Amino acid sequence: MALHLEQLNPEQLAAVTAPDEHLLVLAGAGSGKTRVLTTRIAWLVNSGRVSPAGVLAVTFTNKAAREMYVRLAAMLAFDPRGMWIGTFHGLANRMLRAHHREAGLPREFQILDAQDQLAAVKRVLRALGADPERDSPREVQAYINARKEEGLRAGEIAPADARERRWIELYAAYDEQCRREGVADFAELLLASYELLARNALLREHYAARFRHILVDEFQDTNRLQYRWLKLLASGGAAVFAVGDDDQSIYRFRGAHVGNMADFEREFGVRRLVRLERNYRSHGNILAAANALIARNRHRLGKNLWTEAGAGEPLVVYEAESDAEEAAFVVEQAQALARSGVPLSAIAVLYRSNAQSRVIEHALFTAGLPYRVYGGLRFFERAEVKHALAYLRLLAHPGDDAAFLRVANFPPRGIGARTLEVLADAARARGESLWQAVEALEGRARQALGAFRDLVVRLRAETAGLALAEQVAHVIAASGLEAHYRAEREGAERLENLGELVNAAATFAAEERASGLATGAGDPEGEALDPLNAFLAHAALEAGEHQAGEGREALQLMTVHAAKGLEFDAVFLAGLEDGLFPHEQSLAERDGLEEERRLAYVAITRARHRLYLSYARTRMLHGQTRYALPSRFLDEIPPGLVRWLAPRRPEPAPAARAPQARRPARAGAPAGGFRVGQSVVHPKFGAGVIVDAEGDGAEARVQVNFGREGVKWLAVAVAKLEPA
């Protein structure tokens, strides 16, 4: 079968035909890495350098594995589906099935998905009499998975405190329950496979001798355990062909360890490093912007993307007065692109946080522009938003059975499914709502459901007379939703979405006031709904079937994380503000800013022809208007590459500077011992990051972004700032 080696560029050809030794391929965005990986496999097999059984190829997603099979089928004289090609979890599962006895598993062991695993964790908690309020099942689940991905069993963990000691006990009990029931979760697949190879020398030597060539895709996304698993399989002298891009390592929150690439180069004695720098996707200005941005990162192996496609159009930067104006800009430009012939499906709007989608979705919905949220749910479909709306619906109409069932036991308050079934039977028998039928129950069921009903009554009384946004914010806090998600290991994004629901209420109320509908002035019958009911109707309408159906041309909405691996003719990157992108949480983490910069690099390199960067001078946060600073990443893009669609406004007087566009960042500029980019702590405002500085001595002052507390200028001499 033809390999078409003549169609490869010199660097691709060098990688494909490299000698049988360890090789690290730095494959930049749009450089043809999948083509190189699959052609390498076909070249090894067709040239007789290795048998098909001697190849192990690992990737991260089933989609990528299927693409490898399709490409190989066109280059090999046989069906490649029998080869060991797949995801880490898929290949680990295959190994455990073949050696289930040695692994201590039944032959037909079942695999738990995330929901099944959560249910199993809840059963352990119940069996041990654990308090789900104190030990959140989701948090315990996340803890177990994180430890497994570190290669640690319960008995190998040194507890940091009493809480972790309790979780270690729960982890051990969960493991015992899984062994007893003959099941394995996803994290267990790789850990059990690693342990099997580590303790069974005969099996390890068998596989190490069998696989002569190990090829790994997206190497920058491997975690510690995956790297150790690969080292065991390569211990017999296999040549490891690692393909990755350290500049696109954006999954640290999932356990990815970008340092694995440097470790591989050192520990395996890699003598050859091939850089794939020619980009076949984007125009030159886009690549120049990406190169300039990522060059600021200190810990990288280094490469520079280039193209023969020409410079193309400059990047467009838009400064909006508000997040609503920013969303309107996106809609207008997308409509103009569509009129010029660009398919809607080739246009993407990217954002750092899922919560940002709400304002954009509203603008698209209002304009009648079809859209699809890729890799996630539309704003009003998200579980945490639906939970909050259910509480609000009960405030407005206690007889709403669907809302009652949704939150009667959320956050968990000891009301089980059987209790709700008894309540439903009583309601049917009496022809009443669930709310009313609580009176018909007795004993513990009546007590538990009565307490929930009392909570809703109390919320209604406490929110009476409050403005709409204040009602929503109070319900989120007093219902327990906020505390519940704050306790979750990965609850930050859900909290952001709940905060955005408060913003939605504030915006809706303002629009209603402006239109006169809030008082009924715009209603000829004088029967306008009260603000809460009007907002609930609005939320229900926007949650309707407005997202484009499959197969229909639609603009694509997604987070930057979800966009990795995709490409579009035109890309809008919205919300480029310090504290949002880079995200405020990352600024307080070690190397967090570098990962945020890699994330921005990924976003920029999704664009083929046009790239629009936007930020808002003011943005709604938790129902209040907050001033925002342009992202430092905008200052890291050379001015000659961009065109400002709206001119930057003149620098104001120092006393009023905080709400305005800032001067170009003076990285490292000192002021009274502090510098731009430094993390600091203030006794009143908390943790923050210095974004500007001026003066020295007694005149020194710094501008600090305190996240939720806003951006403030502080005199260093009296501010009581401390380094973080």
Side-chain angles (χ1 to χ4, degrees):
M1 305 292 281
L3 297 182
H4 301 294
L5 298 181
E6 68 280 358
Q7 295 179 9
L8 303 175
N9 67 39
E11 293 75 27
Q12 290 174 333
L13 182 63
V16 167
T17 59
D20 296 357
E21 60 184 38
H22 303 312
L23 185 71
L24 179 58
V25 181
L26 277 183
S31 63
K33 71 174 181 63
T34 304
R35 183 183 196 185
V36 166
L37 196 65
T38 52
T39 307
R40 168 74 171 176
I41 296 172
W43 181 78
L44 288 170
V45 173
N46 288 348
S47 64
R49 303 177 78 88
V50 67
S51 71
V55 173
L56 177 76
V58 194
T59 188
F60 272 84
T61 66
N62 290 318
K63 178 183 176 182
R66 287 192 296 270
E67 184 177 353
M68 289 176 68
Y69 277 123
V70 169
R71 294 197 184 202
L72 283 170
M75 292 187 283
L76 297 173
F78 58 89
D79 188 337
R81 282 179 291 184
M83 298 176 67
W84 279 63
I85 297 173
T87 64
F88 278 99
H89 292 109
L91 294 175
N93 174 57
R94 183 170 178 175
M95 186 178 293
L96 292 174
R97 297 288 177 187
H99 308 287
H100 62 91
R101 290 189 186 85
E102 294 89 339
L105 290 166
R107 180 179 180 183
E108 304 298 336
F109 70 86
Q110 299 300 302
I111 300 173
L112 301 177
D113 63 18
Q115 289 302 313
D116 292 335
Q117 184 191 23
L118 181 61
V121 168
K122 289 178 179 177
R123 284 192 287 115
V124 169
L125 293 175
R126 284 196 298 271
L128 295 181
D131 181 3
E133 296 288 333
R134 185 180 63 171
D135 300 308
S136 161
R138 288 188 182 277
E139 201 166 353
V140 172
Q141 177 187 30
Y143 177 82
I144 292 171
N145 288 339
R147 299 295 81 75
K148 286 189 177 187
E149 287 168 2
E150 292 171 2
L152 296 174
R153 292 291 182 191
E156 300 169 326
I157 305 170
D161 50 35
R163 188 186 196 199
E164 186 173 19
R165 186 175 297 109
R166 186 167 63 255
W167 284 2
I168 291 171
E169 294 171 359
L170 294 173
Y171 178 10
Y174 168 81
D175 252 1
E176 176 58 33
Q177 176 179 283
C178 287
R179 279 193 293 272
R180 189 168 61 248
E181 297 177 0
V183 297
D185 55 54
F186 274 91
E188 177 70 18
L189 294 176
L190 195 67
L191 178 54
S193 175
Y194 170 79
E195 291 173 336
L196 175 66
L197 293 172
R199 68 171 178 261
N200 193 315
L202 287 177
L203 272 180
R204 182 173 66 252
E205 291 165 6
H206 163 73
Y207 281 108
R210 172 178 177 169
F211 297 127
R212 307 314 304 152
H213 285 270
I214 298 174
L215 301 95
V216 189
D217 191 15
E218 304 285 10
F219 195 82
Q220 77 281 351
D221 292 335
T222 54
N223 62 32
R224 289 292 198 183
L225 180 60
Q226 289 162 343
Y227 180 64
R228 289 160 59 189
W229 185 77
L230 290 167
K231 285 178 69 175
L232 286 181
L233 289 170
S235 60
V240 178
F241 186 90
V243 183
D245 183 2
D246 56 333
D247 291 335
Q248 295 189 75
S249 179
I250 60 173
Y251 295 120
R252 182 172 59 167
F253 67 96
R254 293 182 185 169
H257 181 63
V258 66
N260 283 348
M261 297 188 75
D263 290 347
F264 169 67
E265 189 177 16
R266 182 183 67 258
E267 294 177 8
F268 280 72
V270 176
R271 296 189 305 158
R272 302 193 63 192
L273 191 155
V274 177
R275 288 178 169 84
L276 303 184
E277 298 174 302
R278 181 176 178 182
N279 178 280
Y280 293 91
R281 174 187 300 158
S282 306
H283 279 124
N285 284 336
I286 294 170
L287 298 180
N291 288 334
L293 183 77
I294 203 64
R296 300 269 184 151
N297 277 4
R298 296 166 299 163
H299 308 297
R300 58 190 294 260
L301 297 172
K303 64 183 180 311
N304 209 53
L305 298 179
W306 62 276
T307 182
E308 293 183 349
E313 297 183 11
L315 285 63
V316 171
V317 178
Y318 182 73
E319 177 189 83
E321 279 291 340
S322 66
D323 46 1
E325 184 183 285
E326 180 188 43
F329 162 75
V330 170
V331 170
E332 291 167 5
Q333 295 299 312
Q335 289 172 323
L337 288 169
R339 286 194 296 270
S340 71
V342 180
L344 284 177
S345 58
I347 304 172
V349 183
L350 310 183
Y351 34 80
R352 173 65 179 84
S353 168
N354 260 315
Q356 291 173 253
S357 79
R358 202 272 310 170
V359 176
I360 299 169
E361 287 186 58
H362 177 66
L364 291 168
F365 167 65
T366 303
L369 200 61
Y371 70 92
R372 184 176 299 112
V373 178
Y374 180 93
L377 297 172
R378 290 173 295 162
F379 180 78
F380 285 108
E381 290 179 336
R382 294 167 191 160
E384 60 276 13
V385 173
K386 291 175 75 70
H387 288 327
L389 289 173
Y391 276 105
L392 292 167
R393 283 162 53 189
L394 285 175
L395 263 61
H397 179 55
D400 187 333
D401 284 357
F404 189 104
L405 288 171
R406 183 173 193 91
V407 293
N409 194 44
F410 197 92
R413 50 178 60 90
I415 299 174
R418 179 58 188 153
T419 298
L420 291 173
E421 288 175 8
V422 171
L423 176 64
D425 290 342
R428 278 192 297 271
R430 297 163 65 95
E432 296 177 338
S433 68
L434 297 177
W435 178 273
Q436 295 168 320
V438 170
E439 297 293 340
L441 301 184
E442 297 177 350
R444 293 180 61 184
R446 165 76 177 271
Q447 183 179 0
L449 287 164
F452 168 65
R453 201 171 65 164
D454 290 345
L455 168 65
V456 175
V457 171
R458 187 177 75 249
L459 291 176
R460 187 188 301 131
E462 292 170 348
T463 56
L466 295 180
L468 178 61
E470 293 173 335
Q471 283 184 295
V472 176
H474 183 81
V475 166
I476 289 171
S479 66
L481 288 175
E482 182 177 339
H484 174 80
Y485 290 121
R486 197 173 297 285
E488 279 196 353
R489 186 176 296 272
E490 298 180 3
E493 187 173 286
R494 296 185 185 273
L495 287 172
E496 288 181 355
N497 285 331
L498 290 175
E500 186 57 31
L501 183 63
V502 179
N503 296 345
T507 302
F508 174 79
E511 291 174 348
E512 291 285 280
R513 284 194 299 271
S515 68
L517 290 177
T519 61
D523 181 359
E525 302 297 328
E527 296 180 357
L529 292 171
D530 65 86
L532 177 56
N533 275 295
F535 176 63
L536 291 171
H538 160 79
L541 289 171
E542 290 224 355
E545 294 302 319
H546 304 299
Q547 182 167 236
E550 291 297 324
R552 183 185 176 192
E553 272 295 306
L555 185 144
Q556 309 293 303
L557 266 62
M558 65 194 75
T559 63
V560 180
H561 281 102
K564 187 169 182 291
L566 305 177
E567 57 185 73
F568 305 91
D569 287 348
V571 168
F572 294 85
L573 180 54
L576 276 167
E577 299 139 33
D578 263 10
L580 188 55
F581 200 1
H583 198 280
E584 61 185 357
Q585 291 181 349
S586 71
L587 300 178
E589 298 172 356
R590 182 181 178 184
D591 296 330
L593 182 59
E594 294 215 349
E595 176 136 343
E596 289 290 296
R597 193 175 281 114
R598 293 194 293 268
L599 196 57
Y601 175 85
V602 167
I604 290 171
T605 54
R606 298 311 93 196
R608 297 189 191 106
H609 310 307
R610 295 182 177 89
L611 179 61
Y612 301 82
L613 309 174
S614 62
Y615 68 93
R617 287 156 57 84
T618 62
R619 187 173 293 275
M620 292 286 288
L621 289 173
H622 311 288
Q624 298 180 344
T625 299
R626 297 290 175 92
Y627 293 108
L629 292 172
S631 171
R632 65 194 67 193
F633 296 154
L634 287 170
D635 289 323
E636 295 175 1
I637 297 173
L641 300 176
V642 304
R643 174 169 63 92
W644 286 83
L645 206 60
R648 293 183 96 162
R649 296 165 178 83
E651 184 79 5
R657 178 161 45 235
Q660 307 294 330
R662 66 184 169 96
R663 299 187 302 271
R666 296 172 291 152
F674 293 96
R675 67 182 188 283
V676 173
Q678 183 175 3
S679 296
V680 293
V681 176
H682 186 274
K684 177 179 179 182
F685 306 123
V689 175
I690 297 176
V691 295
D692 204 351
E694 62 184 25
D696 209 341
E699 302 298 320
R701 63 183 201 142
V702 291
Q703 190 181 40
V704 186
N705 186 346
F706 288 108
R708 289 189 179 184
E709 296 297 329
V711 179
K712 305 179 188 298
W713 276 99
L714 302 171
V716 172
V718 297
K720 297 182 181 178
L721 280 176
E722 296 287 344

